[in-house]
Amino acid sequence: MRVLFLCLLSLLILACSTSSETHIKQSELLTLLQSEQVPIIIDVRSNREFNAGHIPHAQHVPFWQSFTSDALDNKEKQEQVILYCEHGPRAGIAKLAYTLAGFKKIRYVQGHMTSWRKAGLPMETQ
C-alpha cells in the first residue's frame, strides 16, 4: 500500500512540475491543432467539465476510466499523447494508466485547462 501511495505521489508531482519533456506549451499545442499532425489529446476531467468546454479535438476519457478504457486500443504506442485535467492531479493518474498500456510519448498541457481557458484559447463545447 505504501509503495502504491509513493508511486501515485510521484506521478502527481510530475504532473505539476513543468519541463519540455513532460509538458507541451499551449502555443505549441495550438500550432499542432492547426496542422495536419494533431496529436492524441485526452481530457480526463468529469463529463460536466468536458461538456462545458474542452480543447479542440480532445477525446473524453475520465481519469478513473483510464485503466479500463479501450479508447486508445487502435493507436500506435509511439504516437504522442497529450493529457490534461483542470489542474494536474487527475492527469497524473491517467498518465500511469497510459504508461502501463505501453505509450511512450505522454505529455501534459502546460497549466492544464485552467491556463488554457485563462489564455482565451479555442474551446469546443458539447
Side-chain angles (χ1 to χ4, degrees):
M1 184 64 140
R2 182 180 172 136
V3 172
L4 178 61
F5 173 76
L6 292 175
C7 287
L8 288 175
L9 182 61
S10 297
L11 286 171
L12 295 177
I13 290 169
L14 278 175
C16 297
S17 66
T18 58
S19 79
S20 62
E21 292 177 14
T22 60
H23 287 70
I24 185 169
K25 292 181 180 179
Q26 295 170 359
S27 58
E28 184 182 349
L29 180 54
L30 192 57
T31 299
L32 288 174
L33 289 174
Q34 298 167 346
S35 75
E36 293 181 17
Q37 296 186 346
V38 176
I40 300 167
I41 304 169
I42 306 289
D43 183 321
V44 302
R45 299 175 302 150
S46 70
N47 288 331
R48 183 184 54 76
E49 290 170 306
F50 180 80
N51 292 338
H54 55 271
I55 294 174
H57 303 286
Q59 293 178 250
H60 183 230
V61 181
F63 80 97
W64 53 272
Q65 291 180 345
S66 297
F67 289 93
T68 59
S69 174
D70 61 357
L72 301 184
D73 282 355
N74 63 344
K75 303 295 184 183
E76 293 293 322
K77 303 297 185 192
Q78 295 303 318
E79 286 189 58
Q80 181 172 208
V81 176
I82 308 297
L83 298 173
Y84 71 92
C85 62
E86 194 65 30
H87 305 287
R90 291 177 285 181
I93 294 168
K95 183 177 183 181
L96 173 61
Y98 294 117
T99 299
L100 292 173
F103 287 91
K104 308 285 185 222
K105 299 177 184 175
I106 304 171
R107 295 165 75 190
Y108 305 109
V109 175
Q110 190 170 20
H112 297 272
M113 195 62 191
T114 300
S115 293
W116 186 272
R117 188 180 309 104
K118 283 182 183 176
L121 296 171
M123 293 193 312
E124 294 177 343
T125 57
Q126 296 291 15

